Amino acid sequence: MSDDHTHVQEFFTARAADWDSRFPDDGPAYASAVAELALHEGARVLDAGCGTGRALTPLRAAVGPSGVVLGADLTPAMLEAAVRAGRDRDGLLLLADVAALPLRSESLDAVFAAGLVAHLPQPEQNLKELARVVRPGGTLALFHPIGRAALAARQGRQITPDDPRAEPNLRRLLARSGWRMTSYVDEDARFLALSVREA
């Protein structure tokens, strides 16, 4: 396991137990972002880097009982928190690295990823892996419940021009990874970039 993975696991392991209580008002933002994926009944969707599974319930509601909802995360403590919250009833939880998913190619209709990009050690290769498991024409939602400026202010830092989530940087990164960005919203209340899997 790389130092990058160890750092990510240590960061989230230390925060897993009280993660949901630190951000108790994010539920509506998650539900709104999931709605923009326009998933159909019976769709197959992955929550990549699912953490405590806050997207699993709206994802299950979107795809219905005949759909498939998977939640993959690298950190056991986050998945344990998802189970304690009962979110494992809405999706199958996988202890897995999004850089090497245990899924067949083109087996999914969509991927939802909240707060993931900033934690990817190799963003281009990792987004290519997400593209691998999604059928052509499938969708990707890169989401955060607050925008880049609000998040930077919360963390006491400045946004820099090389921020991978800045629109031109993210558009290029996605294009190199097999995705075509279709919409981009970066407001104080949310960040949401939607993309389509290229053929």
Side-chain angles (χ1 to χ4, degrees):
M1 182 168 291
S2 74
D3 290 341
D4 289 310
H5 288 149
T6 301
H7 171 74
V8 168
Q9 282 187 318
E10 288 173 351
F11 178 90
F12 285 107
T13 297
R15 292 161 176 80
D18 68 344
W19 188 262
D20 286 350
S21 62
R22 290 175 62 203
F23 309 107
D25 302 322
D26 287 349
Y30 273 79
S32 175
V34 166
E36 295 209 31
L37 270 174
L39 295 166
H40 59 82
E41 181 89 15
R44 298 157 300 168
V45 61
L46 168 69
D47 183 0
C50 68
T52 63
R54 289 180 293 173
L56 297 179
T57 300
L59 288 169
R60 171 56 65 197
V63 304
S66 65
V68 174
V69 177
L70 305 172
D73 203 276
L74 186 64
T75 306
M78 285 299 228
L79 296 177
E80 290 161 10
V83 171
R84 283 195 303 275
R87 295 179 184 129
D88 57 322
R89 292 189 295 266
D90 292 314
L92 175 66
L93 298 176
L94 305 171
L95 179 62
D97 184 351
V98 300
L101 290 164
L103 302 172
R104 292 189 327 273
S105 296
E106 300 184 8
S107 60
L108 301 175
D109 297 297
V111 172
F112 183 88
L116 181 69
V117 172
H119 298 287
L120 295 177
Q122 298 178 303
E124 185 174 337
Q125 290 83 354
N126 302 153
L127 289 168
K128 281 181 180 175
E129 174 65 357
L130 295 182
R132 179 188 70 79
V133 299
V134 174
R135 63 170 175 77
T139 51
L140 168 68
L142 299 177
F143 166 73
H144 200 282
I146 61 174
R148 292 186 310 127
L151 182 61
R154 177 191 285 175
Q155 296 173 342
R157 60 176 177 82
Q158 298 290 320
I159 295 177
T160 59
D162 63 344
D163 181 346
R165 291 164 293 182
E167 183 173 9
N169 300 340
L170 187 58
R171 187 178 296 278
R172 284 192 299 271
L173 174 62
L174 288 163
R176 292 194 308 265
S177 307
W179 300 97
R180 177 175 51 83
M181 187 190 292
T182 57
S183 69
Y184 180 93
V185 176
D186 183 14
E187 308 166 332
D188 281 351
R190 71 169 178 168
F191 175 92
L192 181 62
L194 297 175
S195 299
V196 171
R197 168 75 163 87
E198 297 278 47

